[in-house]
């Protein structure tokens, strides 16, 4: 059973369209991170959201952390082929050590 | 500053063999974590090393082991390989500091693609 669920699992859209991917859990996280992984590469950190209800914008990407710090969304405006990749969310749990739980990812393909 | 490097990038082994993967962290980073990535299970945490000591461990069998050297470079070993061990093995380095809710930012290497036949 995945502690973090992501939807949709796969997404194929035309260049210029908007999209939203979701990351959900029944657990509360201290913070939540979003990564993008391109084929043949490791994940690269895009953003960390810490406060419930927080919204962060990075150019065409908008990240939101749920009020209860259990879920998050990533919205991309006017998608471009360069946005293609696997989007992973990761929740941080502060236990006796920093425990990072990764979701299974959303595979995005933007068609020119 | 050079990124995290992993060697080899690709590896093919047969069942029953053992394999050693290497990871060189970013200069100044003292923590190295290892992950297994498969299409079915996603990214699964294997273990973390900090200052040559295993600090945290995931839920993997004892066939998976690792170590860290005084220069922070790390190796991961898998003995008695099984078909299910086929995966992308990623290592991530970080400073190893507690930054509260922000967490300790991890920088991933490109991974080693292991295929077990």
């Amino acid at each position: 059973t995945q502690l973090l669920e992501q939807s949709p699992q796969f997404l194929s859209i035309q260049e210029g369209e908007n999209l939203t991917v979701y990351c959900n859990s029944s657990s509360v996280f201290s913070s939540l991170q979003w990564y993008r992984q391109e084929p043949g590469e490791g994940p690269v950190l895009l953003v960390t959201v810490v406060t419930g209800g927080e919204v962060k914008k990075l150019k065409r990407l908008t990240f939101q952390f749920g009020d209860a710090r259990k879920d998050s969304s990533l919205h991309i405006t006017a998608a471009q082929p360069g946005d293609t990749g696997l989007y992973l969310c990761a929740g941080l749990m502060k236990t006796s050590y920093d425990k990072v739980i990764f979701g299974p990812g959303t595979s995005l393909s933007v068609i020119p | 500053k050079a990124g995290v490097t992993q060697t080899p990038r690709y590896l093919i082994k047969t069942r029953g063999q053992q394999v050693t993967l290497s990871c060189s962290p970013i200069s100044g980073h003292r923590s190295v974590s290892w992950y297994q990535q498969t299409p079915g299970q996603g990214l699964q945490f294997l273990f973390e090393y900090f200052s040559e000591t295993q600090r945290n461990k995931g839920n993997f069998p004892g066939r998976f082991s690792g170590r860290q050297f005084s220069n922070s470079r790390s190796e991961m070993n898998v003995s008695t390989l099984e078909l299910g061990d086929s995966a992308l093995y990623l290592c991530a380095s970080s400073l190893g500091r507690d930054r509260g809710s922000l967490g300790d930012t991890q920088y991933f290497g490109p991974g080693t693609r292991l295929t077990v036949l």
Side-chain angles (χ1 to χ4, degrees), chain A residues 2 30-31 33 35 37 40-43 45 50 86 88 92 94 97-98 102, chain B residues 9 35 37 41 43 56 88 90 98 100-106 108-110:
Chain A
Q2 292 279 359
S30 297
S31 62
Q33 298 174 324
Y35 292 81
Q37 183 177 18
E41 300 295 330
L45 180 65
V50 179
L86 180 68
L88 297 157
L92 173 66
K94 301 290 287 186
Y97 63 93
D98 281 4
F102 280 86
Chain B
R9 291 293 308 274
Y35 293 85
Q37 187 176 31
Q41 297 297 318
L43 262 163
N56 301 306
L88 181 67
L90 292 159
D98 184 355
S101 295
L102 278 175
D104 189 24
T105 301
Q106 296 185 89
F108 284 85

PDB file of all heavy atoms in Angstrom, chain A residues 2 30-31 33 35 37 40-43 45 50 86 88 92 94 97-98 102, chain B residues 9 35 37 41 43 56 88 90 98 100-106 108-110:
ATOM      1  N   GLN A   2       0.616   2.146  -0.972  1.00  0.00           N
ATOM      2  CA  GLN A   2       1.397   3.360  -1.085  1.00  0.00           C
ATOM      3  C   GLN A   2       0.949   4.349  -0.006  1.00  0.00           C
ATOM      4  O   GLN A   2      -0.233   4.620   0.148  1.00  0.00           O
ATOM      5  CB  GLN A   2       1.178   3.982  -2.464  1.00  0.00           C
ATOM      6  CG  GLN A   2       1.753   3.166  -3.614  1.00  0.00           C
ATOM      7  CD  GLN A   2       3.245   3.376  -3.795  1.00  0.00           C
ATOM      8  OE1 GLN A   2       3.861   4.147  -3.071  1.00  0.00           O
ATOM      9  NE2 GLN A   2       3.833   2.682  -4.743  1.00  0.00           N
ATOM     10  N   SER A  30       5.468  16.991   7.454  1.00  0.00           N
ATOM     11  CA  SER A  30       6.092  18.261   7.870  1.00  0.00           C
ATOM     12  C   SER A  30       6.271  19.166   6.665  1.00  0.00           C
ATOM     13  O   SER A  30       6.178  20.390   6.781  1.00  0.00           O
ATOM     14  CB  SER A  30       7.436  17.992   8.526  1.00  0.00           C
ATOM     15  OG  SER A  30       7.282  17.229   9.691  1.00  0.00           O
ATOM     16  N   SER A  31       6.565  18.586   5.538  1.00  0.00           N
ATOM     17  CA  SER A  31       6.688  19.331   4.291  1.00  0.00           C
ATOM     18  C   SER A  31       6.512  18.358   3.140  1.00  0.00           C
ATOM     19  O   SER A  31       6.517  17.137   3.342  1.00  0.00           O
ATOM     20  CB  SER A  31       8.049  20.034   4.181  1.00  0.00           C
ATOM     21  OG  SER A  31       9.093  19.081   4.181  1.00  0.00           O
ATOM     22  N   GLN A  33       7.694  17.744  -1.049  1.00  0.00           N
ATOM     23  CA  GLN A  33       8.554  18.166  -2.140  1.00  0.00           C
ATOM     24  C   GLN A  33       8.020  17.624  -3.460  1.00  0.00           C
ATOM     25  O   GLN A  33       7.392  16.564  -3.496  1.00  0.00           O
ATOM     26  CB  GLN A  33       9.985  17.650  -1.912  1.00  0.00           C
ATOM     27  CG  GLN A  33      10.633  18.190  -0.656  1.00  0.00           C
ATOM     28  CD  GLN A  33      11.982  17.556  -0.390  1.00  0.00           C
ATOM     29  OE1 GLN A  33      12.180  16.379  -0.657  1.00  0.00           O
ATOM     30  NE2 GLN A  33      12.901  18.337   0.136  1.00  0.00           N
ATOM     31  N   TYR A  35       9.509  16.671  -7.333  1.00  0.00           N
ATOM     32  CA  TYR A  35      10.685  16.420  -8.163  1.00  0.00           C
ATOM     33  C   TYR A  35      10.236  16.154  -9.595  1.00  0.00           C
ATOM     34  O   TYR A  35       9.129  15.663  -9.833  1.00  0.00           O
ATOM     35  CB  TYR A  35      11.448  15.174  -7.687  1.00  0.00           C
ATOM     36  CG  TYR A  35      12.138  15.273  -6.358  1.00  0.00           C
ATOM     37  CD1 TYR A  35      11.435  15.111  -5.160  1.00  0.00           C
ATOM     38  CD2 TYR A  35      13.514  15.491  -6.286  1.00  0.00           C
ATOM     39  CE1 TYR A  35      12.085  15.175  -3.944  1.00  0.00           C
ATOM     40  CE2 TYR A  35      14.170  15.553  -5.070  1.00  0.00           C
ATOM     41  CZ  TYR A  35      13.451  15.389  -3.906  1.00  0.00           C
ATOM     42  OH  TYR A  35      14.100  15.443  -2.701  1.00  0.00           O
ATOM     43  N   GLN A  37      11.786  13.981 -12.917  1.00  0.00           N
ATOM     44  CA  GLN A  37      12.817  13.047 -13.349  1.00  0.00           C
ATOM     45  C   GLN A  37      12.685  12.835 -14.852  1.00  0.00           C
ATOM     46  O   GLN A  37      11.626  12.441 -15.341  1.00  0.00           O
ATOM     47  CB  GLN A  37      12.677  11.710 -12.618  1.00  0.00           C
ATOM     48  CG  GLN A  37      13.750  10.698 -12.954  1.00  0.00           C
ATOM     49  CD  GLN A  37      13.614   9.419 -12.144  1.00  0.00           C
ATOM     50  OE1 GLN A  37      12.550   9.138 -11.583  1.00  0.00           O
ATOM     51  NE2 GLN A  37      14.670   8.628 -12.066  1.00  0.00           N
ATOM     52  N   GLY A  40      16.680   8.560 -17.980  1.00  0.00           N
ATOM     53  CA  GLY A  40      18.126   8.402 -17.869  1.00  0.00           C
ATOM     54  C   GLY A  40      18.782   9.290 -16.824  1.00  0.00           C
ATOM     55  O   GLY A  40      20.016   9.317 -16.724  1.00  0.00           O
ATOM     56  N   GLU A  41      17.961  10.002 -16.057  1.00  0.00           N
ATOM     57  CA  GLU A  41      18.501  10.899 -15.045  1.00  0.00           C
ATOM     58  C   GLU A  41      17.862  10.630 -13.693  1.00  0.00           C
ATOM     59  O   GLU A  41      16.844   9.950 -13.596  1.00  0.00           O
ATOM     60  CB  GLU A  41      18.253  12.365 -15.443  1.00  0.00           C
ATOM     61  CG  GLU A  41      18.889  12.774 -16.764  1.00  0.00           C
ATOM     62  CD  GLU A  41      20.400  12.726 -16.714  1.00  0.00           C
ATOM     63  OE1 GLU A  41      20.981  12.934 -15.614  1.00  0.00           O
ATOM     64  OE2 GLU A  41      21.019  12.464 -17.768  1.00  0.00           O
ATOM     65  N   GLY A  42      18.470  11.198 -12.639  1.00  0.00           N
ATOM     66  CA  GLY A  42      17.862  11.108 -11.332  1.00  0.00           C
ATOM     67  C   GLY A  42      16.866  12.237 -11.128  1.00  0.00           C
ATOM     68  O   GLY A  42      16.850  13.215 -11.889  1.00  0.00           O
ATOM     69  N   PRO A  43      16.007  12.130 -10.110  1.00  0.00           N
ATOM     70  CA  PRO A  43      15.040  13.199  -9.828  1.00  0.00           C
ATOM     71  C   PRO A  43      15.740  14.508  -9.463  1.00  0.00           C
ATOM     72  O   PRO A  43      16.782  14.499  -8.814  1.00  0.00           O
ATOM     73  CB  PRO A  43      14.262  12.653  -8.628  1.00  0.00           C
ATOM     74  CG  PRO A  43      14.504  11.183  -8.630  1.00  0.00           C
ATOM     75  CD  PRO A  43      15.871  10.996  -9.187  1.00  0.00           C
ATOM     76  N   LEU A  45      14.966  18.241  -7.624  1.00  0.00           N
ATOM     77  CA  LEU A  45      14.013  18.939  -6.769  1.00  0.00           C
ATOM     78  C   LEU A  45      13.499  20.206  -7.448  1.00  0.00           C
ATOM     79  O   LEU A  45      14.273  21.023  -7.932  1.00  0.00           O
ATOM     80  CB  LEU A  45      14.673  19.307  -5.434  1.00  0.00           C
ATOM     81  CG  LEU A  45      13.803  20.049  -4.423  1.00  0.00           C
ATOM     82  CD1 LEU A  45      12.655  19.158  -3.947  1.00  0.00           C
ATOM     83  CD2 LEU A  45      14.645  20.519  -3.230  1.00  0.00           C
ATOM     84  N   VAL A  50       5.953  23.955   2.833  1.00  0.00           N
ATOM     85  CA  VAL A  50       6.063  23.657   4.258  1.00  0.00           C
ATOM     86  C   VAL A  50       4.772  23.962   5.028  1.00  0.00           C
ATOM     87  O   VAL A  50       4.367  23.197   5.895  1.00  0.00           O
ATOM     88  CB  VAL A  50       7.233  24.442   4.881  1.00  0.00           C
ATOM     89  CG1 VAL A  50       7.351  24.161   6.368  1.00  0.00           C
ATOM     90  CG2 VAL A  50       8.531  24.110   4.168  1.00  0.00           C
ATOM     91  N   LEU A  86       8.800  12.488 -15.445  1.00  0.00           N
ATOM     92  CA  LEU A  86       8.091  11.847 -14.336  1.00  0.00           C
ATOM     93  C   LEU A  86       8.078  12.817 -13.161  1.00  0.00           C
ATOM     94  O   LEU A  86       9.137  13.255 -12.707  1.00  0.00           O
ATOM     95  CB  LEU A  86       8.804  10.546 -13.944  1.00  0.00           C
ATOM     96  CG  LEU A  86       8.182   9.748 -12.793  1.00  0.00           C
ATOM     97  CD1 LEU A  86       6.832   9.158 -13.216  1.00  0.00           C
ATOM     98  CD2 LEU A  86       9.123   8.635 -12.347  1.00  0.00           C
ATOM     99  N   LEU A  88       7.373  13.459  -9.343  1.00  0.00           N
ATOM    100  CA  LEU A  88       7.303  12.727  -8.089  1.00  0.00           C
ATOM    101  C   LEU A  88       7.028  13.675  -6.938  1.00  0.00           C
ATOM    102  O   LEU A  88       7.655  14.733  -6.845  1.00  0.00           O
ATOM    103  CB  LEU A  88       8.630  12.009  -7.814  1.00  0.00           C
ATOM    104  CG  LEU A  88       9.058  10.928  -8.801  1.00  0.00           C
ATOM    105  CD1 LEU A  88      10.560  10.724  -8.731  1.00  0.00           C
ATOM    106  CD2 LEU A  88       8.336   9.631  -8.492  1.00  0.00           C
ATOM    107  N   LEU A  92       7.852  14.551   3.804  1.00  0.00           N
ATOM    108  CA  LEU A  92       8.843  14.458   4.872  1.00  0.00           C
ATOM    109  C   LEU A  92       8.146  14.220   6.203  1.00  0.00           C
ATOM    110  O   LEU A  92       7.257  14.964   6.598  1.00  0.00           O
ATOM    111  CB  LEU A  92       9.658  15.746   4.965  1.00  0.00           C
ATOM    112  CG  LEU A  92      10.617  15.854   6.158  1.00  0.00           C
ATOM    113  CD1 LEU A  92      11.738  14.826   6.049  1.00  0.00           C
ATOM    114  CD2 LEU A  92      11.194  17.263   6.264  1.00  0.00           C
ATOM    115  N   LYS A  94       8.991  13.824  10.237  1.00  0.00           N
ATOM    116  CA  LYS A  94      10.018  14.016  11.253  1.00  0.00           C
ATOM    117  C   LYS A  94       9.804  12.972  12.344  1.00  0.00           C
ATOM    118  O   LYS A  94       8.986  13.129  13.243  1.00  0.00           O
ATOM    119  CB  LYS A  94       9.925  15.427  11.848  1.00  0.00           C
ATOM    120  CG  LYS A  94      10.075  16.543  10.843  1.00  0.00           C
ATOM    121  CD  LYS A  94      11.473  16.672  10.281  1.00  0.00           C
ATOM    122  CE  LYS A  94      12.427  17.240  11.298  1.00  0.00           C
ATOM    123  NZ  LYS A  94      13.766  17.502  10.711  1.00  0.00           N
ATOM    124  N   TYR A  97      14.341  10.233  12.840  1.00  0.00           N
ATOM    125  CA  TYR A  97      15.183  10.748  11.770  1.00  0.00           C
ATOM    126  C   TYR A  97      14.267  11.309  10.693  1.00  0.00           C
ATOM    127  O   TYR A  97      13.058  11.106  10.745  1.00  0.00           O
ATOM    128  CB  TYR A  97      16.072   9.647  11.199  1.00  0.00           C
ATOM    129  CG  TYR A  97      15.328   8.508  10.557  1.00  0.00           C
ATOM    130  CD1 TYR A  97      15.058   8.503   9.197  1.00  0.00           C
ATOM    131  CD2 TYR A  97      14.854   7.434  11.316  1.00  0.00           C
ATOM    132  CE1 TYR A  97      14.356   7.464   8.605  1.00  0.00           C
ATOM    133  CE2 TYR A  97      14.149   6.396  10.728  1.00  0.00           C
ATOM    134  CZ  TYR A  97      13.904   6.423   9.377  1.00  0.00           C
ATOM    135  OH  TYR A  97      13.208   5.394   8.806  1.00  0.00           O
ATOM    136  N   ASP A  98      14.832  12.014   9.723  1.00  0.00           N
ATOM    137  CA  ASP A  98      14.026  12.548   8.618  1.00  0.00           C
ATOM    138  C   ASP A  98      13.677  11.415   7.664  1.00  0.00           C
ATOM    139  O   ASP A  98      14.543  10.873   6.996  1.00  0.00           O
ATOM    140  CB  ASP A  98      14.807  13.632   7.868  1.00  0.00           C
ATOM    141  CG  ASP A  98      14.776  14.960   8.605  1.00  0.00           C
ATOM    142  OD1 ASP A  98      14.223  14.994   9.716  1.00  0.00           O
ATOM    143  OD2 ASP A  98      15.307  15.941   8.068  1.00  0.00           O
ATOM    144  N   PHE A 102       8.312   8.683  -0.982  1.00  0.00           N
ATOM    145  CA  PHE A 102       8.046   9.089  -2.354  1.00  0.00           C
ATOM    146  C   PHE A 102       6.738   8.484  -2.846  1.00  0.00           C
ATOM    147  O   PHE A 102       6.401   7.336  -2.538  1.00  0.00           O
ATOM    148  CB  PHE A 102       9.177   8.642  -3.283  1.00  0.00           C
ATOM    149  CG  PHE A 102      10.378   9.532  -3.236  1.00  0.00           C
ATOM    150  CD1 PHE A 102      11.364   9.340  -2.280  1.00  0.00           C
ATOM    151  CD2 PHE A 102      10.529  10.566  -4.153  1.00  0.00           C
ATOM    152  CE1 PHE A 102      12.480  10.173  -2.234  1.00  0.00           C
ATOM    153  CE2 PHE A 102      11.635  11.395  -4.114  1.00  0.00           C
ATOM    154  CZ  PHE A 102      12.607  11.192  -3.156  1.00  0.00           C
TER     155      PHE A 102
ATOM    156  N   ARG B   9      26.966   2.956 -15.079  1.00  0.00           N
ATOM    157  CA  ARG B   9      25.620   3.423 -15.434  1.00  0.00           C
ATOM    158  C   ARG B   9      24.699   2.261 -15.790  1.00  0.00           C
ATOM    159  O   ARG B   9      23.507   2.314 -15.542  1.00  0.00           O
ATOM    160  CB  ARG B   9      25.698   4.400 -16.611  1.00  0.00           C
ATOM    161  CG  ARG B   9      26.339   5.730 -16.283  1.00  0.00           C
ATOM    162  CD  ARG B   9      25.492   6.558 -15.293  1.00  0.00           C
ATOM    163  NE  ARG B   9      24.119   6.703 -15.709  1.00  0.00           N
ATOM    164  CZ  ARG B   9      23.683   7.647 -16.531  1.00  0.00           C
ATOM    165  NH1 ARG B   9      24.519   8.538 -17.026  1.00  0.00           N
ATOM    166  NH2 ARG B   9      22.389   7.722 -16.840  1.00  0.00           N
ATOM    167  N   TYR B  35      18.472   4.457  -3.079  1.00  0.00           N
ATOM    168  CA  TYR B  35      17.084   4.138  -3.383  1.00  0.00           C
ATOM    169  C   TYR B  35      17.031   3.122  -4.515  1.00  0.00           C
ATOM    170  O   TYR B  35      17.887   3.104  -5.402  1.00  0.00           O
ATOM    171  CB  TYR B  35      16.323   5.383  -3.841  1.00  0.00           C
ATOM    172  CG  TYR B  35      16.127   6.448  -2.786  1.00  0.00           C
ATOM    173  CD1 TYR B  35      17.109   7.400  -2.547  1.00  0.00           C
ATOM    174  CD2 TYR B  35      14.940   6.515  -2.053  1.00  0.00           C
ATOM    175  CE1 TYR B  35      16.924   8.386  -1.590  1.00  0.00           C
ATOM    176  CE2 TYR B  35      14.743   7.498  -1.097  1.00  0.00           C
ATOM    177  CZ  TYR B  35      15.738   8.423  -0.872  1.00  0.00           C
ATOM    178  OH  TYR B  35      15.552   9.404   0.070  1.00  0.00           O
ATOM    179  N   GLN B  37      14.486   2.069  -7.614  1.00  0.00           N
ATOM    180  CA  GLN B  37      13.324   2.555  -8.359  1.00  0.00           C
ATOM    181  C   GLN B  37      12.885   1.511  -9.376  1.00  0.00           C
ATOM    182  O   GLN B  37      13.671   1.103 -10.237  1.00  0.00           O
ATOM    183  CB  GLN B  37      13.628   3.882  -9.069  1.00  0.00           C
ATOM    184  CG  GLN B  37      12.399   4.510  -9.728  1.00  0.00           C
ATOM    185  CD  GLN B  37      12.683   5.865 -10.348  1.00  0.00           C
ATOM    186  OE1 GLN B  37      13.783   6.139 -10.808  1.00  0.00           O
ATOM    187  NE2 GLN B  37      11.684   6.750 -10.338  1.00  0.00           N
ATOM    188  N   GLN B  41       6.938  -0.380  -7.924  1.00  0.00           N
ATOM    189  CA  GLN B  41       7.060   0.081  -6.533  1.00  0.00           C
ATOM    190  C   GLN B  41       7.516   1.528  -6.395  1.00  0.00           C
ATOM    191  O   GLN B  41       7.494   2.083  -5.301  1.00  0.00           O
ATOM    192  CB  GLN B  41       8.053  -0.818  -5.771  1.00  0.00           C
ATOM    193  CG  GLN B  41       7.612  -2.270  -5.660  1.00  0.00           C
ATOM    194  CD  GLN B  41       6.335  -2.420  -4.875  1.00  0.00           C
ATOM    195  OE1 GLN B  41       6.133  -1.782  -3.850  1.00  0.00           O
ATOM    196  NE2 GLN B  41       5.432  -3.249  -5.370  1.00  0.00           N
ATOM    197  N   LEU B  43      10.003   4.707  -6.011  1.00  0.00           N
ATOM    198  CA  LEU B  43      11.267   4.930  -5.304  1.00  0.00           C
ATOM    199  C   LEU B  43      11.169   4.377  -3.888  1.00  0.00           C
ATOM    200  O   LEU B  43      10.374   4.841  -3.081  1.00  0.00           O
ATOM    201  CB  LEU B  43      11.571   6.427  -5.224  1.00  0.00           C
ATOM    202  CG  LEU B  43      12.515   6.996  -6.245  1.00  0.00           C
ATOM    203  CD1 LEU B  43      12.404   8.501  -6.301  1.00  0.00           C
ATOM    204  CD2 LEU B  43      13.946   6.624  -5.884  1.00  0.00           C
ATOM    205  N   ASN B  56      20.199   5.293   8.800  1.00  0.00           N
ATOM    206  CA  ASN B  56      18.820   4.862   8.635  1.00  0.00           C
ATOM    207  C   ASN B  56      18.760   3.703   7.656  1.00  0.00           C
ATOM    208  O   ASN B  56      19.626   3.573   6.790  1.00  0.00           O
ATOM    209  CB  ASN B  56      17.955   6.008   8.088  1.00  0.00           C
ATOM    210  CG  ASN B  56      17.973   7.204   8.988  1.00  0.00           C
ATOM    211  OD1 ASN B  56      17.681   7.097  10.167  1.00  0.00           O
ATOM    212  ND2 ASN B  56      18.325   8.352   8.449  1.00  0.00           N
ATOM    213  N   LEU B  88      16.440   0.508 -11.287  1.00  0.00           N
ATOM    214  CA  LEU B  88      17.352   1.649 -11.328  1.00  0.00           C
ATOM    215  C   LEU B  88      17.739   1.957  -9.885  1.00  0.00           C
ATOM    216  O   LEU B  88      16.865   2.172  -9.039  1.00  0.00           O
ATOM    217  CB  LEU B  88      16.670   2.863 -11.958  1.00  0.00           C
ATOM    218  CG  LEU B  88      17.517   4.127 -12.078  1.00  0.00           C
ATOM    219  CD1 LEU B  88      18.657   3.924 -13.079  1.00  0.00           C
ATOM    220  CD2 LEU B  88      16.654   5.314 -12.504  1.00  0.00           C
ATOM    221  N   LEU B  90      19.428   4.464  -7.398  1.00  0.00           N
ATOM    222  CA  LEU B  90      19.781   5.877  -7.310  1.00  0.00           C
ATOM    223  C   LEU B  90      20.470   6.168  -5.993  1.00  0.00           C
ATOM    224  O   LEU B  90      20.070   5.641  -4.954  1.00  0.00           O
ATOM    225  CB  LEU B  90      18.526   6.744  -7.400  1.00  0.00           C
ATOM    226  CG  LEU B  90      17.802   6.751  -8.744  1.00  0.00           C
ATOM    227  CD1 LEU B  90      16.360   7.206  -8.573  1.00  0.00           C
ATOM    228  CD2 LEU B  90      18.515   7.648  -9.734  1.00  0.00           C
ATOM    229  N   ASP B  98      20.137  18.767   9.974  1.00  0.00           N
ATOM    230  CA  ASP B  98      18.713  18.852  10.276  1.00  0.00           C
ATOM    231  C   ASP B  98      18.258  20.288  10.013  1.00  0.00           C
ATOM    232  O   ASP B  98      18.701  21.216  10.666  1.00  0.00           O
ATOM    233  CB  ASP B  98      18.462  18.489  11.746  1.00  0.00           C
ATOM    234  CG  ASP B  98      16.982  18.465  12.086  1.00  0.00           C
ATOM    235  OD1 ASP B  98      16.150  18.823  11.223  1.00  0.00           O
ATOM    236  OD2 ASP B  98      16.644  18.110  13.225  1.00  0.00           O
ATOM    237  N   GLY B 100      14.981  21.153  10.042  1.00  0.00           N
ATOM    238  CA  GLY B 100      13.592  21.231  10.450  1.00  0.00           C
ATOM    239  C   GLY B 100      12.650  20.751   9.370  1.00  0.00           C
ATOM    240  O   GLY B 100      12.915  19.759   8.694  1.00  0.00           O
ATOM    241  N   SER B 101      11.548  21.456   9.186  1.00  0.00           N
ATOM    242  CA  SER B 101      10.527  21.040   8.230  1.00  0.00           C
ATOM    243  C   SER B 101      10.994  21.114   6.785  1.00  0.00           C
ATOM    244  O   SER B 101      10.419  20.482   5.915  1.00  0.00           O
ATOM    245  CB  SER B 101       9.265  21.902   8.389  1.00  0.00           C
ATOM    246  OG  SER B 101       8.683  21.687   9.653  1.00  0.00           O
ATOM    247  N   LEU B 102      12.032  21.873   6.522  1.00  0.00           N
ATOM    248  CA  LEU B 102      12.533  21.958   5.146  1.00  0.00           C
ATOM    249  C   LEU B 102      13.181  20.663   4.726  1.00  0.00           C
ATOM    250  O   LEU B 102      13.251  20.347   3.546  1.00  0.00           O
ATOM    251  CB  LEU B 102      13.546  23.095   5.026  1.00  0.00           C
ATOM    252  CG  LEU B 102      12.979  24.492   4.838  1.00  0.00           C
ATOM    253  CD1 LEU B 102      14.097  25.521   4.867  1.00  0.00           C
ATOM    254  CD2 LEU B 102      12.225  24.590   3.512  1.00  0.00           C
ATOM    255  N   GLY B 103      13.683  19.909   5.680  1.00  0.00           N
ATOM    256  CA  GLY B 103      14.384  18.684   5.329  1.00  0.00           C
ATOM    257  C   GLY B 103      15.761  18.983   4.767  1.00  0.00           C
ATOM    258  O   GLY B 103      16.107  20.129   4.487  1.00  0.00           O
ATOM    259  N   ASP B 104      16.530  17.951   4.611  1.00  0.00           N
ATOM    260  CA  ASP B 104      17.902  18.059   4.119  1.00  0.00           C
ATOM    261  C   ASP B 104      17.869  17.818   2.612  1.00  0.00           C
ATOM    262  O   ASP B 104      17.660  16.688   2.182  1.00  0.00           O
ATOM    263  CB  ASP B 104      18.756  17.013   4.840  1.00  0.00           C
ATOM    264  CG  ASP B 104      20.224  17.180   4.567  1.00  0.00           C
ATOM    265  OD1 ASP B 104      20.647  18.298   4.221  1.00  0.00           O
ATOM    266  OD2 ASP B 104      20.955  16.177   4.705  1.00  0.00           O
ATOM    267  N   THR B 105      18.041  18.838   1.808  1.00  0.00           N
ATOM    268  CA  THR B 105      17.874  18.721   0.354  1.00  0.00           C
ATOM    269  C   THR B 105      18.794  17.659  -0.226  1.00  0.00           C
ATOM    270  O   THR B 105      20.008  17.695  -0.029  1.00  0.00           O
ATOM    271  CB  THR B 105      18.148  20.071  -0.324  1.00  0.00           C
ATOM    272  OG1 THR B 105      17.230  21.033   0.197  1.00  0.00           O
ATOM    273  CG2 THR B 105      17.942  19.958  -1.838  1.00  0.00           C
ATOM    274  N   GLN B 106      18.188  16.741  -0.949  1.00  0.00           N
ATOM    275  CA  GLN B 106      18.936  15.659  -1.570  1.00  0.00           C
ATOM    276  C   GLN B 106      19.189  15.955  -3.048  1.00  0.00           C
ATOM    277  O   GLN B 106      18.302  16.448  -3.740  1.00  0.00           O
ATOM    278  CB  GLN B 106      18.169  14.337  -1.462  1.00  0.00           C
ATOM    279  CG  GLN B 106      17.975  13.849  -0.042  1.00  0.00           C
ATOM    280  CD  GLN B 106      17.315  12.492  -0.023  1.00  0.00           C
ATOM    281  OE1 GLN B 106      17.964  11.463  -0.059  1.00  0.00           O
ATOM    282  NE2 GLN B 106      16.012  12.485   0.033  1.00  0.00           N
ATOM    283  N   PHE B 108      20.262  13.978  -6.452  1.00  0.00           N
ATOM    284  CA  PHE B 108      20.335  12.618  -6.972  1.00  0.00           C
ATOM    285  C   PHE B 108      21.357  12.482  -8.094  1.00  0.00           C
ATOM    286  O   PHE B 108      21.547  13.398  -8.904  1.00  0.00           O
ATOM    287  CB  PHE B 108      18.972  12.171  -7.500  1.00  0.00           C
ATOM    288  CG  PHE B 108      17.990  11.814  -6.432  1.00  0.00           C
ATOM    289  CD1 PHE B 108      17.222  12.791  -5.824  1.00  0.00           C
ATOM    290  CD2 PHE B 108      17.843  10.499  -6.029  1.00  0.00           C
ATOM    291  CE1 PHE B 108      16.310  12.460  -4.828  1.00  0.00           C
ATOM    292  CE2 PHE B 108      16.934  10.153  -5.044  1.00  0.00           C
ATOM    293  CZ  PHE B 108      16.169  11.140  -4.437  1.00  0.00           C
ATOM    294  N   GLY B 109      21.976  11.324  -8.137  1.00  0.00           N
ATOM    295  CA  GLY B 109      22.804  10.961  -9.275  1.00  0.00           C
ATOM    296  C   GLY B 109      21.932  10.404 -10.391  1.00  0.00           C
ATOM    297  O   GLY B 109      20.721  10.274 -10.233  1.00  0.00           O
ATOM    298  N   PRO B 110      22.552  10.068 -11.539  1.00  0.00           N
ATOM    299  CA  PRO B 110      21.785   9.573 -12.692  1.00  0.00           C
ATOM    300  C   PRO B 110      21.331   8.133 -12.539  1.00  0.00           C
ATOM    301  O   PRO B 110      20.479   7.673 -13.294  1.00  0.00           O
ATOM    302  CB  PRO B 110      22.771   9.710 -13.847  1.00  0.00           C
ATOM    303  CG  PRO B 110      24.105   9.590 -13.198  1.00  0.00           C
ATOM    304  CD  PRO B 110      23.974  10.221 -11.847  1.00  0.00           C
TER     305      PRO B 110
END
